[in-house]
Amino acid sequence: MALSLSQLNAAPLEEATQWLAGLYEHSPWIARGALAERPFTSLAQLKHAMVRVLAGAGIEPQLALIRAHPELAGKAMVDQSLTAESANEQSKAGLTHCTPAEFETIQQLNRDYNARFGWPFILAVRGPRGTGLPKAEIIATFARRLQGHPDFERQECLRNIHRIAEIRLNDLFDITPTQGNRVWDWQEALAQHTDPGYAELGQLTVTYLTDAHRACAAQISADMRAAGCDTVHIDAVGNVVGCYQRDSALRISDEGYSPIFHKTLLTGSHYDTVRNGGKYDGRLGIYVPLACVQQLSQAGKRLPFDLEIVAFAEEEGQRYKATFLGSSALTGDFEPAWLDQVDANGTTMRAALQHAGLCVDDIPGLKRNASDYRGFVEVHIEQGPVLNALDIPLGVVTSINASARYVGEVTGMASHAGTTPMDSRRDAACAVAELVLAVESRAAQDADSVGTVGQLQVPNGSVNVVPGHCQFSLDLRAPSNAQRDRLAADVVQAAHTICERRGVQLNLTDTMRASAAPSDAAWQARWEAAVQALGVPLHRMPSGAGHDAMKLHTILPQAMLFVRGQNSGISHNPLESTTSDDMQLAVDAFAHLLNQLATPASD
Ligand SMILES: [Zn+2]
């Protein structure tokens, strides 16, 4: 018999603790501590209460919990002394059917891991979809995490323990994240299309207007139609546009419905990827709203407004220098000059568009009339470590950061590394090294600014020559233009001061400046209400990465919702991952937002 939340809320503490005793290996105290916070309105709320109990317990109880777990495919599995929950998980991941070679590899990893960290390796082997990770992936993850820092690895074990508990809780309550699974499966299917050269390596790369890119557009069109969109088309830049039309029986004059309720809600994200990228970057923001359309369509429900989902054709700037091609077309910022840009093979964008059967003359006509729309919302995987570290599944974006980029070159004096005394050098690399540390400390002074020197070169440097030249890049970001400008002014000042003191020449060129896109207050508040209605803790955060919403910001009020990424939120990388449970929460939050917009009192 599956448990229900109302039963759990009503039961005496010890009985309720007993029910949840299997969630955390031999550690019923975690559930007991969380149950003190009853009643719970959702499983997400209960899960986070347990996260907080463990986080507040301190390192020793955390380590004891980690050590209470069996080794993967270890002695306990072989002599069948696992808990019922562990036995189920290890068998679902196929660990009970290892080849002798796999078994020996895992045993060696177990020994190495234990020697390094002093506790067993913990991995939620049922994985992000709950159905079991392939053994090869388990072994690869094991080997990778063996290289981690002990503090990080302890936290990563605890995060995996919470994921294990989440899956066990779903089993206990007989809950399936049906729509989250669907969103997960849609993205898995879409990831089958990848550019030539990458397909062979099992890597995901979908750049603008390649065959794989066009196959993605066809796939997304089919998914949109099957999910219930009334109209679907591919526009002149390759965006896939699906519309779920409003309730045509509702009239503007109907009670409580002002004209604004009939304005279209625009949403979406991009389907192109970086080279060897992840499956969720961009695509999550297409399929989460599509799951809502499917739910509405299956229930025979209509909204009082059109819901327009745009799968943007290009955001990442991989094939051509220009970026945000898809969303620029909607805001009227698509530059005709971009059509003459060439890719690495010398193919112009114009030729690529024509080859794809798209009509470049129709691009200006894609510009949206802002007065037809109520706003733009975008769901996106976080692409950073913040939510993962906090163990919070969703984040509400306050602003897309402003940024400034520079390229710099310092010229000192090349001289003999053996004969030039330390006090008579003009070392260009030392000056830049000092600048790198100045950037680090100045950016850290603001809680939410970031500064990076990602490229650093001594051109034609030699092992026995004091560097005469050093080239570097500088990337600065902050949630507002003013904060970015203060940061940039201080860093530029520091660069000049350092170079003057060292007697070297600085040449700094401003290469890019992008304005912040602060979330619209009313739209941000809608996401916040949606997140809180799910019982998920509210976490507000700026977006350090650029997104299509940044473009739409120029014509419409916008706000974004972030979904936690696994593996420290790594993105632009095949390790990018998020669970179907978190995807389900994103679908639920989106559905809540739609409901708010459909309710006359909300505006
Ligand atoms: Zn993206």
Side-chain angles (χ1 to χ4, degrees):
M1 256 297 276
L3 207 54
S4 75
L5 205 53
S6 54
Q7 280 175 309
L8 189 77
N9 282 331
L13 179 63
E14 275 317 306
E15 194 177 352
T17 303
Q18 267 311 309
W19 291 339
L20 303 185
L23 297 183
Y24 289 89
E25 205 82 357
H26 306 297
S27 306
W29 59 271
I30 299 168
R32 188 183 295 116
L35 287 165
E37 293 178 31
R38 287 181 296 173
F40 297 112
T41 57
S42 68
L43 282 192
Q45 195 183 18
L46 165 61
K47 286 175 203 168
H48 197 72
M50 295 191 290
V51 165
R52 273 182 285 112
V53 167
L54 186 57
I59 288 183
E60 281 315 313
Q62 291 172 357
L63 282 174
L65 170 65
I66 293 172
R67 293 195 177 109
H69 284 73
E71 287 188 327
L72 273 192
K75 193 170 148 289
M77 188 190 82
V78 175
D79 65 23
Q80 301 189 331
S81 63
L82 294 173
T83 60
E85 289 86 356
S86 279
N88 172 32
E89 287 147 9
Q90 298 214 13
S91 101
K92 272 212 163 79
L95 291 170
T96 42
H97 294 90
C98 286
T99 65
E102 286 167 343
F103 191 74
E104 188 36 51
T105 302
I106 294 175
Q107 298 322 311
Q108 187 58 48
L109 287 165
N110 275 330
R111 285 189 290 274
D112 292 348
Y113 187 95
N114 218 309
R116 168 124 205 259
F117 300 110
W119 62 74
F121 172 68
I122 314 278
L123 177 66
V125 290
R126 279 180 60 185
R129 174 68 161 77
T131 40
L133 290 172
K135 269 179 287 184
E137 191 175 335
I138 292 173
I139 291 170
T141 305
F142 205 155
R144 177 168 51 81
R145 282 179 42 193
L146 193 50
Q147 311 303 321
H149 187 280
D151 290 344
F152 174 82
E153 193 45 34
R154 178 168 45 84
Q155 296 295 342
E156 190 66 2
C157 285
L158 295 176
R159 283 190 284 271
N160 274 277
I161 287 171
H162 288 309
R163 172 63 185 154
I164 292 166
E166 175 169 63
I167 293 171
R168 292 177 179 180
L169 196 63
N170 286 350
D171 288 350
L172 201 58
F173 282 74
D174 196 17
I175 300 260
T176 306
T178 308
Q179 293 160 302
N181 286 347
R182 191 167 298 131
V183 171
W184 207 91
D185 294 343
W186 270 325
Q187 291 168 110
E188 195 66 17
L190 194 66
Q192 301 309 307
H193 308 293
T194 180
D195 287 350
Y198 298 92
E200 296 79 346
L201 301 170
Q203 296 179 355
L204 177 63
T205 300
V206 177
T207 58
Y208 192 43
L209 299 177
T210 59
D211 288 349
H213 186 270
R214 291 159 64 204
C216 284
Q219 179 73 55
I220 294 167
S221 302
D223 291 339
M224 283 180 167
R225 279 198 193 88
C229 285
D230 300 293
T231 63
V232 179
H233 73 279
I234 297 175
D235 74 15
V237 283
N239 295 328
V240 188
V241 184
C243 183
Y244 189 64
Q245 288 166 353
R246 69 185 176 92
D247 183 350
S248 56
L250 264 180
R251 297 273 167 261
I252 290 174
S253 55
D254 283 353
E255 198 183 341
Y257 283 98
S258 67
I260 195 172
F261 283 91
H262 295 315
K263 289 191 177 188
T264 301
L265 175 64
L266 190 63
T267 187
S269 193
H270 60 99
Y271 66 90
D272 68 322
T273 75
V274 297
R275 295 192 168 82
N276 196 18
K279 297 171 186 170
Y280 311 103
D281 175 4
R283 293 148 176 228
L284 192 63
I286 300 165
Y287 284 111
V288 164
L290 195 60
C292 291
V293 166
Q294 187 173 52
Q295 186 176 36
L296 288 165
S297 170
Q298 284 173 349
K301 285 189 187 154
R302 292 275 164 184
L303 299 162
F305 50 87
D306 286 354
L307 174 60
E308 186 177 331
I309 305 175
V310 183
F312 293 108
E314 205 284 341
E315 188 257 17
E316 304 280 10
Q318 299 285 305
R319 183 169 177 187
Y320 296 98
K321 225 176 130 214
T323 58
F324 294 96
L325 298 176
S327 42
S328 293
L330 268 61
T331 59
D333 296 318
F334 189 98
E335 301 274 348
W338 292 343
L339 295 168
D340 298 319
Q341 290 187 357
V342 288
D343 69 4
N345 297 322
T347 307
T348 63
M349 192 188 296
R350 185 191 312 277
L353 283 158
Q354 282 161 351
H355 176 72
L358 302 174
C359 179
V360 294
D361 296 339
D362 291 346
I363 294 175
L366 301 180
K367 183 179 189 310
R368 297 300 196 268
N369 185 353
S371 63
D372 295 340
Y373 290 88
R374 206 158 163 192
F376 177 76
V377 288
E378 181 175 358
V379 175
H380 206 284
I381 189 165
E382 182 204 336
Q383 301 188 281
V386 176
L387 294 172
N388 188 239
L390 291 169
D391 254 309
I392 293 178
L394 302 173
V396 177
V397 176
T398 53
S399 177
I400 302 172
N401 280 353
S403 58
R405 281 188 193 159
Y406 302 81
V407 291
E409 176 161 21
V410 170
T411 307
M413 196 198 297
S415 57
H416 197 290
T419 61
T420 316
M422 294 311 287
D423 62 359
S424 47
R425 295 180 178 213
R426 299 277 179 256
D427 187 326
C430 282
V432 179
E434 196 178 335
L435 174 62
V436 172
L437 296 178
V439 170
E440 182 185 48
S441 82
R442 174 57 187 82
Q445 278 175 26
D446 305 334
D448 45 9
S449 291
V450 288
T452 307
V453 175
Q455 295 173 324
L456 192 58
Q457 285 153 34
V458 177
N460 304 317
S462 292
V463 65
N464 57 357
V465 177
V466 175
H469 286 283
C470 186
Q471 297 169 333
F472 62 97
S473 64
L474 179 58
D475 177 298
L476 304 170
R477 305 186 197 207
S480 70
N481 293 348
Q483 186 176 323
R484 184 261 331 257
D485 291 344
R486 285 193 297 274
L487 172 67
D490 287 355
V491 167
V492 170
Q493 177 62 48
H496 284 291
T497 306
I498 290 164
C499 290
E500 258 164 52
R501 176 164 39 74
R502 289 176 166 271
V504 293
Q505 295 291 318
L506 172 67
N507 189 347
L508 199 59
T509 313
D510 200 326
T511 55
M512 196 272 277
R513 212 158 255 250
S515 288
S519 299
D520 177 82
W523 286 95
Q524 186 185 323
R526 289 187 183 108
W527 278 129
E528 291 177 1
V531 165
Q532 287 178 301
L534 303 180
V536 170
L538 173 60
H539 183 74
R540 301 182 182 98
M541 60 192 300
S543 169
H547 296 292
D548 291 299
M550 215 165 102
K551 270 283 155 206
L552 272 304
H553 181 82
T554 60
I555 61 163
L556 290 175
Q558 61 78 26
M560 293 185 70
L561 180 74
F562 273 171
V563 180
R564 157 174 62 183
Q566 304 294 304
N567 301 323
S568 327
I570 192 166
S571 187
H572 289 181
N573 186 292
L575 289 175
E576 179 187 271
S577 176
T578 170
T579 67
S580 61
D581 284 276
D582 286 358
M583 292 180 196
Q584 179 68 48
L585 288 171
V587 172
D588 292 343
F590 202 97
H592 194 277
L593 181 112
L594 292 177
N595 259 326
Q596 292 175 54
L597 294 172
T599 309
S602 79
D603 219 61

